[in-house]
Amino acid sequence: MKRTTIYLDPELELLLKLEARRSKKPVAEIIREAVRYKLYKKPRGLPVGVGEFDSGHSDGAERFEEILDELGFGNPENS
């Protein structure tokens, strides 16, 4: 395990100590659990930018060949 230092505001420090006392766990363990939850278990939101653009079409999967042709990425044999 690697040792690190974190800075907490007084209110957060108090809440952390109360949780440690309530759960009968060391403060360090509460912090590790919180970090682990944040990084591994909490469902992540969508990546930045997802949903920012709307083509107005909902049939892209069915029209992929047509769309590629429109964008100039179609099959050169068919052009």
Side-chain angles (χ1 to χ4, degrees):
M1 223 174 277
K2 173 120 170 105
R3 183 182 177 144
T4 191
T5 301
I6 61 169
Y7 296 92
L8 303 172
D9 58 53
E11 180 183 347
L12 188 55
E13 180 187 20
L14 176 61
L15 291 171
L16 183 58
K17 287 180 178 180
L18 289 172
E19 176 59 23
R21 180 178 282 187
R22 185 198 64 75
S23 64
K24 297 181 179 154
K25 295 179 182 178
V27 168
E29 181 60 28
I30 303 294
I31 293 171
R32 283 191 294 271
E33 288 174 358
V35 170
R36 203 174 289 119
Y37 175 78
K38 173 67 177 171
L39 297 178
Y40 294 113
K41 296 179 182 167
K42 184 178 179 187
R44 296 186 179 162
L46 295 174
V48 174
V50 170
E52 288 192 22
F53 305 99
D54 183 5
S55 69
H57 299 283
S58 61
D59 60 346
E62 292 84 18
R63 297 182 336 113
F64 77 94
E65 288 179 343
E66 177 187 339
I67 293 168
L68 289 175
D69 283 340
E70 290 172 7
L71 296 172
F73 294 103
N75 186 342
E77 294 174 10
N78 294 337
S79 297

